[in-house]
Amino acid sequence: MKNMKFPTAQTILLIIAALVTLLTWLIPAGKYDTLVYNKDTNNFTQASIEKSINLPATQETLNTLSVKIPLDKFTEGDIYKAINIPNTYKKLESRPQGILEFIKSPIKGIIEAADIIFLVLIIGGLIGIINSTGAFDAGISWLANALKGREFILIILVTTLVAIGGTTFGFAEETIAFFPILVPVFLAAKYDALVGVACIFIGSSIGTMCSTINPFSTIIASDAAGISWTTGAFGRVLMLVSCLAICIIYILRYASRVKKDPTKSIIYDQQQQIAALFGNTSTETIKFTSRLRLALFVFAMCFAIMIYGVVFLEWWFVEMTATFLVGSILIGIITGIKESTFVDTFVKGAADLLGVALIIGIARGITVIMADGLISDTMLYYASDITNGMNKGVFASAITGIYAVLSFFIPSSSGMAVLTMPIMSPLADGVGVGREIVVNAYQYGMGLFYLVNPTGLILASLAIVKVGYNKWLKFIMPLFITLIVFTLLVMTISVYL
């Protein structure tokens, strides 16, 4: 038994894909009708399995369909995806997925996730180029010396900044770019790789969990629930501050133990392997030439431009990927890398993150199986039925738990919002609570499970630093349980205030 190793992330996801394939044989198929606004023709399209019909884009149409959302949320582009229409769920002929569909699912997933996969590969090439110049090693050495004796500031600063990104514009997939960059900094500060992973991933998770002005969760969910995004905003800000404080204290305590005694690290047996993966993490002084400073400046600007583009210019994966590609070429020119060497180094860097790209594709393949098997809407239908006649305090906790479970099957925050909110938000009316409770339950339920959700980004994040999922679970579980208890307590109390 001692020689048995925990499965790799790819194997874990394939096992989950096989189990989900089995579920398509056990869970009845079903689907809600969907409604989407067509900007070009200024009308709605109501689609079912059998047919699609065009309807006038009026508030009367929405009222007739029991969609309690103002018309301008559609016409102004706040809701741009198809939403589920309440009371339209129909059981359908079973569509079980077989062995062939299971085999094809990772390929379909890779094709569907091509945008983020190419982003990851180009980032890998960029990391390969900057590492080959020695600029990154020089920068890390300088930063480690500058923070000597005050390394804990790094933990507070990184976790807080990433959380701010999460709460404002849904900083999640973009964090993949930061693991190869920041983890070596934490290693140089005499922490372990888990501290670096925790600061980035937990910071992002708590930020998105307690989203305040995030258009991909708070705003789109509030719009789909028919309420203003400012309703309940004060409570979400308090939740953000509280959960962030809990997480930072937890990470600081673990980091302090590791710094005092490296054998206390959960990944102590991988210390040399991870150090070798990220090259030089010592604090010896390396000459920081003007060329290396300029190369690092271009490297940093790639991320600054990416963030600016996402927040202000409505950029998405194509523009982000192009930014990193141009950055790689500029760094190559600045540091005088030969063209053939540049190409070889870039390709090798991309290859180093190929495993991460495959994880993202396989995870997306799981959602393909569920969509093709028509079981996602069935689970939503029965989940909404569970809460009928509940006490409002129990309702708040139950709906949070339901969203945590649903997030395994629908890991996209915007996808979850538009698919579930028209169905789930009216349940709040029935138990006498505000619809913002359902919006909060959606955010907190998804955010909590995101910390351990294998169909989310955690496996891809861990793969970058070669840390096993079992090691992450051992690290996160005490914090995970603490956050669950705290969140359910807050949700229960909030309905009585």
Side-chain angles (χ1 to χ4, degrees):
M1 291 293 288
K2 276 188 175 182
N3 293 326
M4 286 185 66
K5 291 185 72 177
F6 196 79
T8 61
Q10 290 89 340
T11 302
I12 292 169
L13 286 172
L14 286 173
I15 292 169
I16 291 171
L19 293 174
V20 170
T21 303
L22 180 62
L23 284 179
T24 65
W25 291 79
L26 303 175
I27 297 174
K31 192 156 179 54
Y32 285 95
D33 287 0
T34 60
L35 188 74
V36 65
Y37 174 71
N38 306 303
K39 186 178 181 180
D40 295 335
T41 56
N42 190 32
N43 65 10
F44 287 120
T45 299
Q46 180 180 354
S48 64
I49 288 290
E50 301 86 13
K51 61 179 181 177
S52 296
I53 58 172
N54 290 325
L55 300 169
T58 64
Q59 191 64 52
E60 185 181 355
T61 298
L62 294 173
N63 294 340
T64 302
L65 295 173
S66 299
V67 176
K68 307 298 182 184
I69 303 173
L71 178 64
D72 61 6
K73 298 300 182 184
F74 293 93
T75 57
E76 293 177 6
D78 294 328
I79 298 176
Y80 54 91
K81 294 185 177 182
I83 68 165
N84 281 345
I85 302 174
N87 308 316
T88 59
Y89 174 81
K90 300 183 191 73
K91 285 189 177 180
L92 301 170
E93 185 178 341
S94 183
R95 197 186 283 181
Q97 303 295 288
I99 294 175
L100 187 58
E101 287 77 16
F102 165 70
I103 293 170
K104 290 191 294 185
S105 67
I107 311 303
K108 288 182 176 180
I110 289 169
I111 293 169
E112 284 198 9
D115 47 9
I116 187 173
I117 285 174
F118 277 109
L119 173 66
V120 167
L121 294 179
I122 296 298
I123 287 170
L126 172 63
I127 300 297
I129 294 297
I130 196 71
N131 278 340
S132 72
T133 66
F136 204 50
D137 286 346
I140 288 171
S141 295
W142 174 84
L143 186 61
N145 287 325
L147 286 173
K148 212 161 195 176
R150 302 186 303 276
E151 292 87 355
F152 68 90
I153 294 173
L154 188 65
I155 294 172
I156 298 170
L157 192 63
V158 170
T159 310
T160 302
L161 289 176
V162 175
I164 290 171
T167 195
T168 53
F169 65 92
F171 193 55
E173 287 92 346
E174 298 90 341
T175 59
I176 290 288
F178 290 86
F179 288 98
I181 303 159
L182 291 176
V183 168
V185 179
F186 285 95
L187 294 177
K190 303 303 179 185
Y191 296 126
D192 66 8
L194 265 178
V195 175
V197 172
C199 290
I200 301 166
F201 188 79
I202 292 175
S204 167
S205 301
I206 294 303
T208 51
M209 170 183 163
C210 306
S211 292
T212 51
I213 58 171
N214 178 4
F216 305 111
S217 59
T218 305
I219 294 177
I220 198 169
S222 298
D223 287 347
I227 60 174
S228 168
W229 66 270
T230 57
T231 306
F234 181 70
R236 286 191 285 272
V237 170
L238 288 179
M239 188 71 172
L240 173 65
V241 173
S242 302
C243 289
L244 186 58
I246 291 169
C247 292
I248 288 175
I249 291 168
Y250 183 84
I251 298 170
L252 284 171
R253 289 183 63 187
Y254 173 81
S256 178
R257 288 201 306 270
V258 169
K259 198 173 182 66
K260 288 175 183 173
D261 182 0
T263 62
K264 299 291 185 184
S265 168
I266 292 172
I267 54 172
Y268 179 69
D269 58 328
Q270 295 179 259
Q271 191 176 32
Q272 290 183 337
Q273 175 199 0
I274 293 172
L277 177 69
F278 289 105
N280 175 42
T281 58
S282 68
T283 56
E284 66 181 72
T285 303
I286 297 173
K287 192 172 181 183
F288 213 1
T289 65
S290 297
R291 278 195 175 196
L292 294 188
R293 289 177 188 273
L294 184 57
L296 268 187
F297 175 76
V298 171
F299 182 76
M301 285 305 296
C302 287
F303 296 91
I305 291 169
M306 175 195 77
I307 292 169
Y308 180 84
V310 170
V311 175
F312 297 106
L313 305 178
E314 297 184 356
W315 281 11
W316 205 228
F317 287 108
V318 172
E319 293 84 359
M320 288 191 288
T321 305
T323 300
F324 291 118
L325 180 59
V326 171
S328 303
I329 295 169
L330 287 176
I331 290 169
I333 293 171
I334 289 166
T335 55
I337 301 175
K338 290 182 181 177
E339 181 267 341
S340 58
T341 305
F342 176 89
V343 172
D344 289 343
T345 305
F346 188 89
V347 170
K348 186 177 181 302
D352 287 341
L353 290 189
L354 184 59
V356 177
L358 289 174
I359 288 169
I360 293 167
I362 296 169
R364 184 68 63 88
I366 295 171
T367 62
V368 170
I369 293 172
M370 288 186 294
D372 291 347
L374 296 175
I375 64 172
S376 299
D377 281 9
T378 299
M379 300 193 70
L380 173 58
Y381 172 74
Y382 286 111
S384 65
D385 204 41
I386 290 172
T387 60
N388 282 340
M390 272 188 179
N391 168 276
K392 62 183 181 180
V394 176
F395 171 82
S397 294
I399 205 82
T400 305
I402 287 169
Y403 268 111
V405 173
L406 287 176
S407 68
F408 175 82
F409 300 97
I410 312 172
S412 163
S413 60
S414 58
M416 176 76 85
V418 297
L419 290 175
T420 67
M421 209 51 65
I423 310 300
M424 304 296 261
S425 60
L427 300 177
D429 305 339
V431 296
V433 299
R435 291 190 175 192
E436 71 276 6
I437 296 297
V438 178
V439 173
N440 290 348
Y442 141 80
Q443 290 197 167
Y444 302 160
M446 282 198 79
L448 283 171
F449 190 61
Y450 185 77
L451 290 168
V452 296
N453 187 1
T455 61
L457 283 178
I458 184 57
L459 293 184
S461 302
L462 293 172
I464 294 173
V465 294
K466 308 297 183 191
V467 172
Y469 184 52
N470 57 324
K471 301 285 181 72
W472 173 255
L473 291 178
K474 185 176 180 182
F475 168 80
I476 199 69
M477 270 304 153
L479 176 61
F480 185 53
I481 293 167
T482 302
L483 288 173
I484 288 174
V485 173
F486 178 74
T487 301
L488 295 182
L489 191 62
V490 168
M491 286 297 289
T492 302
I493 294 171
S494 66
V495 300
Y496 294 104
L497 295 177

